[in-house]
Amino acid sequence: MSSKVRLYLDQPLAGGQTLALDAEAANYLFAVMRLRPGAQVVVFNGRDGEWLTEVSAAGRRDGALAVRAQVRPQTTVPDLWLLFAPLKKARTDFVVEKAVELGVGRILPVVTDFTNAERMNRDRLQAHAREASEQCGALGVPQVAPLRPLFAVLSEWDAGRPLWFCDEALAGQGPAPAGDRPAGSCAGAVLVGPEGGFSAAERARLRALPFARPIALGPRILRAETAAVAALVLWQATCGDWR
Amino acid sequence: MSSKVRLYLDQPLAGGQTLALDAEAANYLFAVMRLRPGAQVVVFNGRDGEWLTEVSAAGRRDGALAVRAQVRPQTTVPDLWLLFAPLKKARTDFVVEKAVELGVGRILPVVTDFTNAERMNRDRLQAHAREASEQCGALGVPQVAPLRPLFAVLSEWDAGRPLWFCDEALAGQGPAPAGDRPAGSCAGAVLVGPEGGFSAAERARLRALPFARPIALGPRILRAETAAVAALVLWQATCGDWR
């Protein structure tokens, strides 16, 4: 892994360009990371691949990067979404960070019957997703959607996107998720409930949805964030880009 | 999931017994959890299953539990070990917690060429493993071994225990781990390197070991603790008790 600073910039990227930096980017590169003119920075925007740039101007509130050469072309990522009920702050941050590393394209926080956190700072989570993308070498940043009630999201669901929901009521039973997994699908989503799981009413409604299928995650009770990671890993290994 | 307090006790468990509590357990149950005589506590010892007990005496430095009935018999767990290079404190704690949830039987911290943390508080990690077992409903507590050099541990390795090592040099390449997985094995181990991965010399030595096989974990760079969870999930789903 490169030790160069990696930066997400929402600007078109192409060779020969000069990229203007806003105050936030300038503060990060020049005050926090202490880069000076001539230093190399790797940038990506989620559309044009990854580019090597060089600091051409470094100010307190602005600066510029000269685009040198493309390092990696943009690649397509699996069309995988994560729906999860917000947890305590550190565990929510963890879920977002791991979702980015595991190639989730869209993060949808949802309110369920047993969700404890009714509020969520979406801007903070979006910034956390961006930092995780910069760190893990991803070529895009997943969008964090506004917090909405679970069944409001599911009422508008595209039935072509299978939804795996982690059903703790299956703990201790077979079958393993393998038997339940659709083969060869290219769009998908994983739904993880809060620490207390889903209510009986929610579970009944979920089971009645044609695009939803319960998955089992072994005989032990997993914490919500562990279930999220486990389900995403299994999805990537069977339907995604870990195959 | 029961909301009763769950406690690991290293004492034989059988119906009709009275269990004496030491100062640590008494402090936890009566000062921290504020239980009073008559309160129910679920206990396990890693050998005799899970038992319902009732507080029969509650002191400041001691106390007693009357064993009522067995809740669950002891079950066998997959014979899965985790070898990992200690990370920063919070991430090491995380790895231990997730290893417990994912059914690891033995946790072996190892020093590798790029390991940053040369010291490790084994007692603290063992206590963390115990708390994680109490929380996740496990019927045993994995042992945390002393920190040792990786190849000292591997020089005494039982060749009948396949070792999957997470090889970040495979990131971006196939094949997915599925193709590499031994089928039907009942003993196994997962090895995860530190944030910087394995050195070239280590990778060469690992690849030369007949019981070791590299596994790939998708095209993105995973943080060490994410790689640990991902590899354990894949092992449980293919060789362990998630099948």
Side-chain angles (χ1 to χ4, degrees), chain A residues 94 101 135 176 223 226 242, chain B residues 94 101 176 223 225-226 242:
Chain A
F94 173 83
E101 286 178 60
Q135 282 207 1
R223 297 192 72 133
T226 319
W242 291 25
Chain B
F94 173 84
E101 286 178 59
R223 297 192 73 132
E225 75 275 10
T226 319
W242 291 25

Side-chain angles (χ1 to χ4, degrees), chain A residues 59-191:
Chain A
R60 291 192 62 168
R61 296 177 180 281
D62 54 15
L65 300 175
V67 181
R68 297 299 185 212
Q70 193 177 46
V71 184
R72 288 191 291 164
Q74 190 70 29
T75 52
T76 55
V77 292
D79 184 11
L80 174 59
W81 294 4
L82 173 66
L83 283 69
F84 81 105
L87 309 164
K88 286 181 186 169
K89 184 166 172 288
R91 294 192 188 261
T92 295
D93 287 354
F94 173 83
V95 169
V96 168
E97 177 182 311
K98 297 314 164 208
V100 172
E101 286 178 60
L102 295 169
V104 166
R106 196 170 151 80
I107 298 170
L108 298 97
V110 291
V111 180
T112 68
D113 287 350
F114 298 155
T115 302
N116 275 320
E118 296 290 328
R119 290 188 308 163
M120 182 195 83
N121 186 332
R122 183 182 170 202
D123 290 343
R124 200 182 59 77
L125 283 190
Q126 186 66 66
H128 196 65
R130 173 182 166 161
E131 281 163 32
S133 294
E134 289 172 346
Q135 282 207 1
C136 80
L139 292 178
V141 179
Q143 195 197 356
V144 179
L147 182 66
R148 292 180 66 200
L150 171 61
F151 286 98
V153 174
L154 296 184
S155 70
E156 301 157 3
W157 198 259
D158 171 4
R161 180 182 297 276
L163 176 76
W164 291 9
F165 72 93
C166 303
D167 190 351
E168 77 286 350
L170 295 179
Q173 303 173 24
D180 283 341
R181 285 176 233 163
S185 34
C186 49
V190 160
L191 165 64

Side-chain angles (χ1 to χ4, degrees), chain B residues 82-119:
Chain B
L82 173 67
L83 284 69
F84 81 105
L87 309 163
K88 287 181 185 169
K89 183 166 171 289
R91 293 190 189 263
T92 296
D93 287 353
F94 173 84
V95 168
V96 168
E97 177 183 310
K98 297 313 164 208
V100 172
E101 286 178 59
L102 295 170
V104 166
R106 198 170 149 77
I107 297 171
L108 299 97
V110 292
V111 180
T112 68
D113 288 350
F114 297 156
T115 301
N116 275 320
E118 297 290 329
R119 290 188 307 165

Side-chain angles (χ1 to χ4, degrees), chain A residues 1 72 77-78 91 94 97-98 100-104 135-138 174-178 181 195 216-223 225-227 229-231 233-234 236-237 241-243, chain B residues 1 72 77-78 91 94 97-98 100-104 135-138 174-178 181 216-227 229-231 233-234 236-237 241-243:
Chain A
M1 199 152 104
R72 288 191 291 164
V77 292
R91 294 192 188 261
F94 173 83
E97 177 182 311
K98 297 314 164 208
V100 172
E101 286 178 60
L102 295 169
V104 166
Q135 282 207 1
C136 80
R181 285 176 233 163
E195 286 296 335
L217 295 172
R220 287 161 296 277
I221 303 287
L222 303 186
R223 297 192 72 133
E225 75 275 10
T226 319
V229 172
V233 165
L234 292 176
Q236 288 289 16
D241 62 5
W242 291 25
R243 282 179 296 181
Chain B
M1 199 150 100
R72 289 190 292 164
V77 292
R91 293 190 189 263
F94 173 84
E97 177 183 310
K98 297 313 164 208
V100 172
E101 286 178 59
L102 295 170
V104 166
Q135 282 208 0
C136 80
R181 285 176 233 163
L217 295 172
R220 287 160 296 278
I221 303 287
L222 302 185
R223 297 192 73 132
E225 75 275 10
T226 319
V229 172
V233 165
L234 292 176
Q236 288 289 16
D241 62 6
W242 291 25
R243 284 179 295 181

Side-chain angles (χ1 to χ4, degrees), chain B residues 160-220:
Chain B
R161 180 182 297 276
L163 176 76
W164 292 8
F165 73 93
C166 302
D167 190 351
E168 76 288 350
L170 294 180
Q173 302 172 28
D180 284 342
R181 285 176 233 163
S185 34
C186 50
V190 160
L191 165 64
V192 182
E195 285 296 335
F198 296 107
S199 68
E202 282 174 330
R203 193 172 292 114
R205 286 180 75 179
L206 284 168
R207 283 176 175 268
L209 295 171
F211 51 81
R213 62 182 68 213
I215 64 161
L217 295 172
R220 287 160 296 278

Side-chain angles (χ1 to χ4, degrees), chain B:
Chain B
M1 199 150 100
S2 167
S3 58
K4 291 189 189 78
V5 173
R6 250 184 130 248
L7 191 69
Y8 171 83
L9 282 182
D10 189 13
Q11 298 183 35
L13 298 174
Q17 282 188 316
T18 297
L19 308 170
L21 298 172
D22 63 16
E24 187 190 347
N27 181 63
Y28 173 65
L29 293 181
F30 310 133
V32 179
M33 302 305 293
R34 299 179 171 275
L35 299 186
R36 298 287 167 259
Q40 292 187 324
V41 177
V42 171
V43 300
F44 63 104
N45 64 2
R47 303 182 299 276
D48 302 321
E50 186 173 70
W51 292 77
L52 184 65
T53 72
E54 205 176 280
V55 176
S56 56
R60 290 193 62 169
R61 296 176 180 280
D62 54 14
L65 299 175
V67 181
R68 297 298 183 213
Q70 193 177 46
V71 184
R72 289 190 292 164
Q74 190 71 28
T75 52
T76 56
V77 292
D79 185 9
L80 174 60
W81 295 3
L82 173 67
L83 284 69
F84 81 105
L87 309 163
K88 287 181 185 169
K89 183 166 171 289
R91 293 190 189 263
T92 296
D93 287 353
F94 173 84
V95 168
V96 168
E97 177 183 310
K98 297 313 164 208
V100 172
E101 286 178 59
L102 295 170
V104 166
R106 198 170 149 77
I107 297 171
L108 299 97
V110 292
V111 180
T112 68
D113 288 350
F114 297 156
T115 301
N116 275 320
E118 297 290 329
R119 290 188 307 165
M120 184 195 80
N121 185 331
R122 182 182 171 201
D123 290 343
R124 199 181 60 77
L125 284 190
Q126 186 66 66
H128 196 63
R130 173 182 165 161
E131 281 163 31
S133 295
E134 289 172 345
Q135 282 208 0
C136 80
L139 292 178
V141 179
Q143 194 198 357
V144 179
L147 182 65
R148 292 180 66 200
L150 171 60
F151 287 98
V153 173
L154 296 184
S155 70
E156 301 158 3
W157 199 259
D158 170 3
R161 180 182 297 276
L163 176 76
W164 292 8
F165 73 93
C166 302
D167 190 351
E168 76 288 350
L170 294 180
Q173 302 172 28
D180 284 342
R181 285 176 233 163
S185 34
C186 50
V190 160
L191 165 64
V192 182
E195 285 296 335
F198 296 107
S199 68
E202 282 174 330
R203 193 172 292 114
R205 286 180 75 179
L206 284 168
R207 283 176 175 268
L209 295 171
F211 51 81
R213 62 182 68 213
I215 64 161
L217 295 172
R220 287 160 296 278
I221 303 287
L222 302 185
R223 297 192 73 132
E225 75 275 10
T226 319
V229 172
L232 293 173
V233 165
L234 292 176
W235 193 90
Q236 288 289 16
T238 46
C239 310
D241 62 6
W242 291 25
R243 284 179 295 181

